[in-house]
């Protein structure tokens, strides 16, 4: 084979390798992302942003992985209740535990926020942080999603994985800023998203330093809420744990609205994005009326202020990596 042919093949390979976001369909949404990243990383350009200020924040549920039919952390807690039930005979007559044991999810959901908090207290506390991490890791490795019969970590969005990698290749530091529990997410986010534990911001419960029976120090999880990283709590969490305002932020619901507003509020180039779930065939279609991941006021603001809205059905060539 001639050197010219080899050179042409190498050149074509380099072009293919350099193509960003291959699971995103060509169009204004993909182009807006690529154009923004090009502008803020072009040295000498009017919109150049130094690497130390290239902060990108992402919601988790419904933004980086699926969130239907219930939040995956709630699915984890429900499975934990089932596993612990033999040691708690009193749960047979007490909601929401009775509903979980009997498989009556409607009764569980009818218990509302109070019921969810009871489930979380029963399954997320009274143990060390190391014990909880092992419980989460074991569940992630074995639990299956009810619709797809896949591991929950297979329900991550391939286009968003590509976006995270693309941003990091351009000098961005990527963070999760989620209403989910920080200690639920940290055990698996680095393997799944390439985001290390110290770059995960989430809701948290109180932990207490104690000396264990073996004389070694432990952190015990208590049944007290310390911080809710959702809605207006997200900018607070960003300020507390990151210390820099993001220039790039992505969410999917009204719970992310304030994070995007906080990102947009400072001068200079800013990117605000929302994932709009519009694909009932490959994933789900929901927004304003949904009890999970409700997208209503944030969608109106996105449309009025020109934020980027990803139409899942239109803009994503693939949703999950396991798709043919």
């Amino acid at each position: 084979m001639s050197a010219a042919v080899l050179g042409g093949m190498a050149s074509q390979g380099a072009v293919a390798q350099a193509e960003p976001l291959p699971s995103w369909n060509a169009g204004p949404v993909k182009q807006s992302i690529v154009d923004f990243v090009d502008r803020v990383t072009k040295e000498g350009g009017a919109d150049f942003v130094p690497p130390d200020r290239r902060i990108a924040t992402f919601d988790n549920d419904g933004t980086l992985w699926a969130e239907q039919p219930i939040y995956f952390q709630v699915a984890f807690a429900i499975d934990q209740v089932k596993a612990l039930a033999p040691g708690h005979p009193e749960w047979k007559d007490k909601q929401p535990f009775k509903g979980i044991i009997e498989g009556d999810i409607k009764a569980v959901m009818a218990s509302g926020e109070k019921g969810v908090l009871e489930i979380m207290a029963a399954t997320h506390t009274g143990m060390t942080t190391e014990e909880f991490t092992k419980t989460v890791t074991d569940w992630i490795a074995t639990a299956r999603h009810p619709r797809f019969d896949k591991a929950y970590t297979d329900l991550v969005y391939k286009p968003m994985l590509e976006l995270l990698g693309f941003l990091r290749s351009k000098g961005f530091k990527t963070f999760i800023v989620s209403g989910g529990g920080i200690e639920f997410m940290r055990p698996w986010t680095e393997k799944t998203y390439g985001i290390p534990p110290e770059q995960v911001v989430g809701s948290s419960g109180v932990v207490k330093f104690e000396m264990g029976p073996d004389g070694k120090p432990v952190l015990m999880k208590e049944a007290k809420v310390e911080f809710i990283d959702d809605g207006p709590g997200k900018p607070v969490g960003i300020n507390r744990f990151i210390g820099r305002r993001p220039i790039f932020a992505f969410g999917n619901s009204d719970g992310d609205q304030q994070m995007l507003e906080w990102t947009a509020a400072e001068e200079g180039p800013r990117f605000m994005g929302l994932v709009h779930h519009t694909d009932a065939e490959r994933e789900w279609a929901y927004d304003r009326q949904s009890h999970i991941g409700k997208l209503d006021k944030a969608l109106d603001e996105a449309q009025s202020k020109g934020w980027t809205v990803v139409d899942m059905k239109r803009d994503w060539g693939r949703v999950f990596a396991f798709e043919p």
Side-chain angles (χ1 to χ4, degrees), residues 77-90:
I78 287 173
D79 283 351
Q80 292 307 110
V81 167
K82 293 176 182 177
L84 296 170
H88 294 271
E90 72 278 8

Side-chain angles (χ1 to χ4, degrees), residues 70-84 91 96 99-101 103 105 108-109 119-120 123-124 139:
I70 57 176
Y71 294 119
F72 294 175
Q73 187 172 356
V74 176
F76 161 75
I78 287 173
D79 283 351
Q80 292 307 110
V81 167
K82 293 176 182 177
L84 296 170
W91 286 355
I100 292 173
I101 294 168
I105 298 302
V108 176
M109 301 310 290
I119 295 169
M120 295 296 182
T123 59
H124 288 50
W139 183 82

Side-chain angles (χ1 to χ4, degrees), residues 100-151:
I100 292 173
I101 294 168
E102 296 176 353
D104 186 356
I105 298 302
K106 286 186 178 180
V108 176
M109 301 310 290
S111 66
E113 183 178 357
K114 180 178 181 293
V116 171
L117 290 174
E118 285 188 72
I119 295 169
M120 295 296 182
T123 59
H124 288 50
T125 63
M127 67 188 83
T128 68
T129 51
E130 287 83 1
E131 289 168 340
F132 185 72
T133 292
K134 184 179 186 307
T135 301
V136 172
T137 302
D138 290 346
W139 183 82
I140 284 288
T142 58
R144 312 289 287 184
H145 188 273
R147 173 180 169 184
F148 294 98
D149 192 29
K150 298 283 185 181

Side-chain angles (χ1 to χ4, degrees), residues 15-30:
V15 171
Q17 188 175 11
E19 175 64 24
L21 311 180
S23 295
W24 295 68
N25 291 328
V29 167
K30 177 177 179 178

Side-chain angles (χ1 to χ4, degrees), residues 67-249:
E67 60 184 357
Q68 297 283 355
I70 57 176
Y71 294 119
F72 294 175
Q73 187 172 356
V74 176
F76 161 75
I78 287 173
D79 283 351
Q80 292 307 110
V81 167
K82 293 176 182 177
L84 296 170
H88 294 271
E90 72 278 8
W91 286 355
K92 293 180 181 179
D93 302 310
K94 181 183 179 183
Q95 292 291 8
F97 305 101
K98 182 175 184 290
I100 292 173
I101 294 168
E102 296 176 353
D104 186 356
I105 298 302
K106 286 186 178 180
V108 176
M109 301 310 290
S111 66
E113 183 178 357
K114 180 178 181 293
V116 171
L117 290 174
E118 285 188 72
I119 295 169
M120 295 296 182
T123 59
H124 288 50
T125 63
M127 67 188 83
T128 68
T129 51
E130 287 83 1
E131 289 168 340
F132 185 72
T133 292
K134 184 179 186 307
T135 301
V136 172
T137 302
D138 290 346
W139 183 82
I140 284 288
T142 58
R144 312 289 287 184
H145 188 273
R147 173 180 169 184
F148 294 98
D149 192 29
K150 298 283 185 181
Y152 282 89
T153 46
D154 287 340
L155 273 292
V156 301
Y157 301 133
K158 184 170 176 56
M160 298 306 279
L161 289 178
E162 293 170 359
L163 177 55
L164 289 169
F166 177 54
L167 291 172
R168 289 193 289 262
S169 76
K170 298 295 184 177
F172 279 78
K173 199 170 187 178
T174 54
F175 291 81
I176 290 174
V177 179
S178 172
I182 192 168
E183 288 167 10
F184 174 76
M185 294 183 287
R186 281 178 168 171
W188 51 268
T189 58
E190 187 162 26
K191 181 179 179 180
T192 302
Y193 301 134
I195 296 178
E198 66 270 19
Q199 290 170 217
V200 177
V201 180
S203 298
S204 58
V206 173
V207 296
K208 182 181 179 182
F209 178 88
E210 292 182 3
M211 297 304 296
D214 58 359
K216 295 181 179 180
V218 296
L219 292 175
M220 291 295 299
K221 291 174 61 61
E222 297 189 345
K224 299 176 185 176
V225 176
E226 179 185 45
F227 176 65
I228 299 295
D229 189 54
D230 197 35
K234 290 199 173 188
V236 175
I238 290 169
N239 179 68
R240 180 184 298 182
F241 298 107
I242 301 176
R244 290 190 186 275
R245 194 187 305 246
I247 66 167
F248 189 105

